[in-house]
Amino acid sequence: MTGPRVVIIGAGVVGAALADEIAQRGWTDVTVVDQGPLPATGGSSSHAPGLVFQTNSSKAMTELARYTVEKFCSLDVDGKPCFLQVGGLEVATTPERLTELKRRHGWITAWGVEAELIDADACVAKHPLLDRARVLGGLYVPTDGLAKAVLAVEAQIRRATGNGVRFLARHEVLDILQDAGRVTGVRTDHGDLDADIVVCCAGVWGPKIARMAGMNLPLTPLAHQLAWTGPVPALAGQTEEAVRPILRHQDADLYYRDRYDGIGIGSYGHRPMPVSADDILTFGDDRPMPSVLEFTEDDFADAWTETQSLLPATKDAKVDEGINGLFSFTTDNFPLLGESRDVKGFWVAEAVWVTHSAGVGRAMAEWLVDGHCSSFDLHECDVNRFEPHQLTPEYVLARDCQNFVEVYDILHPLQPSGDPRPIRTSPFYERQQAHGAFFLEANGWERPHWYEANSALLDGRSIPVPNDWAAQYWSPIVGAEAQATRETVAMYDMTALKRLEVTGPGAGAFLETLTTSKVAKSVGSVTYTLLLDHGGGIRSDVTVARLATDRFQIGANGNLDLDWLTRHLPADGTVQVRDITAGTCCIGLWGPLARKVLQPLTDDDFSNDGLKYFRAEQAHIGSVPVTAMRLSYVGELGWEIYTTADLGPKLWDTLRTAAEPLGGVIAGRGAFNSLRLEKGYRSFGTDMTYEHDPYEAGVAFAVKLDKGDFIGKAALERRKTSVQRKLTCLTIDDPYDVVLGKEPVYDGERAVGYVTSAAYGYTIGKGIAYAWLPAELAVPGTALRIGYFDRRVEAVVAEEPLFDPTMSRLRG
């Protein structure tokens, strides 16, 4: 099998990996072009220092790095290894960093990579240049090490060439050829290359190349300082390139690596130095490597002073050379992978560092050849994940520079992002501000987490205070709002929920082919259902409301849902999909008194029989026309109430005025998260992702295998009988021991899974943690422990849902 005609732009560490991986899967009509010579093409791969630290808060990124390590360890060029597995050591010089290393140890353990927390003496034993007086402890990962990026490029080029791939050096790309919305080839300064698929792996030039296909990449090349010392007398006689672990001193934004008797020093501690991709020169023999800028000594002064303090032996050396090397940064620190929405066949694999390069090569090869990636969950990396405002030049530059500054910072999971804010505000924003809302950002929306005006709710309540880490970006008001929701009624701003409208005579049939449940039911029906990929993995969970014969409203999880639906639209024009989020708003009105608030405001029948559970209707609340859907993510009687953005303030005031005499409150996302976990409701992207199927995730009730064919159905029929892991509810008795997610779960001393979502349950009086566990351990009553920093928190598997298992509150 030769496969389609593929042109890969860029023969750096990503392009070479993709060429190798795709050829191994049988596609051999592949051409790789690069403006520079091979294998050192002049991009970031050619000057990358090669440090591979696998520890990452993202499971997918760790797995991409782990595969890169495994592959590079197997490669050599004429006996010269492509990876020096010297281990990786992160050291703490402050108590805060030592605590952070314990959290990082939890991540790497949760993701299944061997790691060890070691004391200061052990740190010095592994890296004798360290000043023992400066170091408090460290995190050691024995499989980390140094990637020899240019050698890895050469090794993969050789193997790909042996499998039929063609490499063309010194070919500058001038244009992406297209016809009728589909890529047809690549124009170079040596002529045109026909192609069915073009993959842009151009690194720091990526935005320039992608723009040729009409694609806007939120990527900024930023200069990052790398210096090399001359001989360090203490290292005299070292004949091996590297014998000590690669080293990170994140308290000072520094990293280090051996180079025979000298040391390489990388610094992120200087000012951000962004560069436009259009201003980066192409490769030329008459000029330096284009991705390397002139070293700015003044920016490196503090890094050198700190280096001499941490590694005293460097006082006897000097900085011999240095560069400001360009690397790619994105607005959320994840790569940009996937196909253009507008030009079919044009793909990108951008903002990928050496650390993850081979993993990305494999992921992209699977995606291209099989139609989906089976080895890695790529939802965080999909290039189509961004909202329109996240692609604006001002936003991209600000966030990319911020991420450079914060690259080694200790960041709390809820830590608010920086400027530009606010960007998106709901129609209720001014009213929320007046009530002292504490806002966090959700897809650019300012979303209240709690309201200071509700502090009076604390009177007479005993809200437990969690540990110091969990208590950040938290208030006891969160607990009071949660309890008040269960006692009376609360209003929640749900505007940040993505809303899509699917219309046209073919809308019903179209949605049936994409969803796991029967959705083309009677007008007024609302269905919870799943979107799957062809391998049976969960792409999203959505609600589908049929508001008219040819009109459906979808409660979606983000822009990737819009992208998925758009890609599968029939060619005959019988279906249209559009994002209606910005022009609409939503209030969740929930609680046992919700009907007493709503019914007096309308002539429409909101009785239990008038609007049943999981039904929707067009109605009027006061003078506001609304779409009301009887469903609830907090497990209480109530409705999601939608109207147009211009009428949002009137809807808020109408409901608020009616709720106050009944003790109703406004409540924020903190309470919402607690309540939804008490009911066991899943959150896509956190509890379940592309790597999970419905049977594992506990949402098999949304799968109807007796309906017609839908994407992923055949795969589900194979997977349903082989469930080996389950998303499982754990409870924690001690209210101090609130965990936040991504912590490892232990059975005895063996790490067996990891936490997804967690919160304190203010109704049930216990901590709640959902976790992925082996199926044999997902049995109620099983005692386990959660690794939380340097502690082990006692937990037990519980029956779910923890609250209202008979659903009487919802259906009342």
Side-chain angles (χ1 to χ4, degrees):
M1 178 179 84
T2 60
R5 297 168 299 176
V6 179
V7 173
I8 298 171
I9 302 171
V13 74
V14 179
L18 174 57
D20 178 40
E21 295 283 345
I22 204 171
Q24 290 185 59
R25 285 161 178 78
W27 283 13
T28 55
D29 190 354
V30 179
T31 302
V32 185
V33 298
D34 200 293
Q35 64 181 349
L38 301 176
T41 61
S44 300
S45 303
S46 302
H47 66 74
L51 288 80
V52 176
F53 289 95
Q54 297 167 86
T55 307
N56 195 293
S57 62
S58 164
K59 180 173 182 283
M61 295 299 281
T62 293
E63 290 175 341
L64 291 167
R66 178 167 53 193
Y67 180 79
T68 300
V69 168
E70 292 170 355
K71 182 175 184 180
F72 282 9
C73 282
S74 72
L75 298 176
D76 70 89
V77 175
D78 301 330
K80 292 179 289 187
C82 294
F83 196 80
L84 306 178
Q85 201 157 41
V86 293
L89 176 62
E90 301 181 20
V91 295
T93 59
T94 63
E96 294 80 10
R97 183 65 61 178
L98 187 62
T99 300
E100 170 71 357
L101 291 186
K102 295 168 184 175
R103 183 169 72 125
R104 294 175 66 80
H105 179 253
W107 294 341
I108 197 76
T109 302
W111 312 148
V113 177
E114 179 188 355
E116 180 184 6
L117 287 167
I118 59 177
D119 63 19
D121 289 333
C123 289
V124 174
K126 291 188 180 298
H127 203 296
L129 297 188
L130 286 165
D131 181 357
R132 171 63 179 80
R134 293 286 315 277
V135 177
L136 303 179
L139 172 63
Y140 178 66
V141 180
T143 53
D144 286 348
L146 280 169
K148 306 291 291 179
V150 174
L151 279 179
V153 168
E154 184 172 359
Q156 292 175 104
I157 285 176
R158 287 186 181 187
R159 191 156 68 181
T161 300
N163 285 324
V165 176
R166 180 174 58 149
F167 286 81
L168 301 177
R170 300 183 184 274
H171 278 58
E172 182 182 354
V173 172
L174 304 177
D175 200 4
I176 305 299
L177 305 178
Q178 310 165 47
D179 182 50
R182 185 174 188 89
V183 73
T184 61
V186 173
R187 176 156 294 158
T188 78
D189 58 352
H190 287 70
D192 294 351
L193 300 169
D194 294 335
D196 305 302
I197 292 172
V198 173
V199 187
C200 178
C201 305
V204 292
W205 291 276
K208 179 180 178 180
I209 300 296
R211 209 161 45 242
M212 296 175 184
M215 197 173 185
N216 185 11
L217 293 185
L219 181 160
T220 303
L222 281 116
H224 155 60
Q225 291 201 302
L226 175 65
W228 301 96
T229 71
V232 177
L235 305 182
Q238 180 174 320
T239 57
E240 295 182 58
E241 180 177 352
V243 297
R244 280 164 290 277
I246 56 175
L247 179 66
R248 271 207 283 217
H249 175 28
Q250 292 172 290
D251 284 318
D253 298 310
L254 290 166
Y255 64 77
Y256 305 94
R257 57 152 293 177
D258 285 10
R259 188 172 72 168
Y260 300 102
D261 62 352
I263 297 290
I265 307 165
S267 172
Y268 291 101
H270 53 82
R271 60 191 170 91
M273 293 183 272
V275 176
S276 169
D278 294 319
D279 294 334
I280 305 171
L281 299 175
T282 56
F283 195 94
D285 292 329
D286 59 340
R287 54 180 174 262
M289 187 185 301
S291 63
V292 171
L293 306 182
E294 184 178 353
F295 188 61
T296 50
E297 291 187 17
D298 290 347
D299 290 303
F300 195 70
D302 290 343
W304 180 232
T305 299
E306 179 61 23
T307 295
Q308 292 175 306
S309 174
L310 184 73
L311 307 176
T314 60
K315 293 178 180 178
D316 299 322
K318 64 179 182 177
V319 174
D320 263 7
E321 57 181 305
I323 63 170
N324 286 6
L326 295 178
F327 289 96
S328 300
F329 279 77
T330 63
T331 55
D332 58 6
N333 288 318
F334 285 100
L336 307 174
L337 311 179
E339 186 182 21
S340 164
R341 183 179 301 162
D342 300 316
V343 180
K344 190 169 180 59
F346 183 79
W347 294 69
V348 298
E350 290 292 344
V352 181
W353 291 8
V354 172
T355 299
H356 309 103
S357 58
V360 166
R362 177 174 180 173
M364 291 296 294
E366 290 179 352
W367 199 348
L368 288 164
V369 176
D370 302 331
H372 69 281
C373 177
S374 57
S375 296
F376 310 99
D377 163 36
L378 297 181
H379 85 275
E380 294 168 307
C381 305
D382 194 311
V383 70
N384 294 294
R385 64 189 180 268
F386 299 102
E387 296 290 325
H389 75 273
Q390 294 171 323
L391 299 174
T392 60
E394 178 184 326
Y395 181 94
V396 171
L397 181 61
R399 290 294 170 91
D400 289 356
C401 288
Q402 177 185 337
N403 288 338
F404 180 91
V405 171
E406 294 179 347
V407 69
Y408 282 167
D409 285 3
I410 299 170
L411 301 176
H412 191 276
L414 296 177
Q415 186 161 323
S417 53
D419 290 335
R421 275 186 71 191
I423 296 178
R424 308 174 84 181
T425 57
S426 81
F428 320 128
Y429 182 62
E430 291 183 356
R431 286 154 175 77
Q432 292 164 343
Q433 287 180 305
H435 286 87
F438 179 83
F439 292 101
L440 295 177
E441 185 183 353
N443 288 325
W445 292 98
E446 296 296 323
R447 184 167 65 186
H449 216 60
W450 70 81
Y451 295 88
E452 289 294 335
N454 285 332
S455 59
L457 289 175
L458 293 170
D459 294 343
R461 301 180 190 273
S462 178
I463 304 297
V465 177
N467 57 80
D468 290 347
W469 185 248
Q472 293 188 46
Y473 309 106
W474 175 87
S475 165
I477 296 171
V478 167
E481 290 176 358
Q483 291 178 352
T485 303
R486 298 252 188 258
E487 295 162 359
T488 56
V489 63
M491 291 167 49
Y492 289 83
D493 181 1
M494 301 297 290
T495 301
L497 175 71
K498 172 78 81 175
R499 290 173 292 285
L500 307 177
E501 186 178 73
V502 182
T503 57
F510 165 69
L511 289 173
E512 288 292 334
T513 66
L514 295 179
T515 59
T516 59
S517 307
K518 181 73 174 175
V519 297
K521 299 183 291 191
S522 61
V523 172
S525 64
V526 182
T527 308
Y528 174 81
T529 188
L530 308 172
L531 306 177
L532 305 180
D533 62 29
H534 290 278
I538 300 171
R539 285 198 60 96
S540 190
D541 65 333
V542 298
T543 56
V544 180
R546 189 170 203 171
L547 302 181
T549 303
D550 59 355
R551 181 165 64 92
F552 296 78
Q553 181 172 309
I554 296 179
N557 283 299
N559 220 44
L560 289 179
D561 294 343
L562 173 61
D563 180 68
W564 185 253
L565 294 177
T566 302
R567 289 182 186 279
H568 291 88
L569 284 172
D572 61 8
T574 58
V575 184
Q576 296 80 43
V577 177
R578 68 186 185 106
D579 185 348
I580 62 171
T581 310
T584 57
C585 59
C586 178
I587 292 175
L589 181 72
W590 295 310
L593 302 184
R595 187 173 285 120
K596 290 186 176 181
V597 171
L598 195 61
Q599 189 61 77
L601 301 175
T602 179
D603 293 332
D604 297 286
D605 186 359
F606 279 86
S607 68
N608 197 40
D609 291 331
L611 186 60
K612 296 181 181 296
Y613 186 54
F614 264 80
R615 296 288 296 179
E617 72 175 18
Q618 313 291 321
H620 293 87
I621 296 174
S623 57
V624 181
V626 302
T627 298
M629 300 184 193
R630 189 175 167 192
L631 58 154
S632 167
Y633 210 46
V634 303
E636 292 290 340
L637 168 69
W639 301 267
E640 290 180 0
I641 304 171
Y642 299 88
T643 192
T644 52
D646 59 321
L647 292 171
K650 182 62 175 178
L651 176 63
W652 176 283
D653 293 343
T654 301
L655 293 174
R656 183 88 177 108
T657 299
E660 278 188 297
L662 298 174
V665 301
I666 53 177
R669 190 70 179 185
F672 180 92
N673 284 335
S674 171
L675 297 171
R676 72 103 176 163
L677 285 176
E678 289 183 332
K679 279 298 294 179
Y681 292 144
R682 277 60 168 150
S683 174
F684 177 79
T686 303
D687 298 317
M688 54 191 186
T689 66
Y690 296 0
E691 67 175 303
H692 306 116
D693 70 43
Y695 306 104
E696 299 169 329
V699 288
F701 63 88
V703 176
K704 309 300 180 187
L705 290 177
D706 58 352
K707 65 172 277 189
D709 195 25
F710 56 85
I711 292 175
K713 180 178 180 180
L716 284 192
E717 290 173 334
R718 295 191 300 269
R719 294 176 68 157
K720 68 178 180 178
T721 57
S722 58
V723 175
Q724 298 182 343
R725 58 183 175 178
K726 288 186 176 181
L727 183 61
T728 308
C729 180
L730 304 175
T731 57
I732 302 165
D733 286 336
D734 191 337
Y736 178 81
D737 288 328
V738 173
V739 300
L740 295 182
K742 302 189 177 182
E743 297 88 359
V745 179
Y746 292 88
D747 178 25
E749 294 303 311
R750 179 173 62 108
V752 292
Y754 60 92
V755 174
T756 58
S757 295
Y760 189 77
Y762 298 98
T763 310
I764 66 166
K766 293 178 183 287
I768 306 168
Y770 271 79
W772 281 101
L773 296 175
E776 64 271 17
L777 294 177
V779 178
T782 302
L784 300 166
R785 294 188 296 170
I786 298 172
Y788 190 64
F789 293 91
D790 59 343
R791 301 173 50 239
R792 299 286 174 91
V793 174
E794 301 292 333
V796 63
V797 176
E799 291 274 8
E800 59 172 327
L802 299 169
F803 177 79
D804 189 27
T806 65
M807 304 283 280
S808 59
R809 308 266 296 201
L810 281 166
R811 299 179 183 276

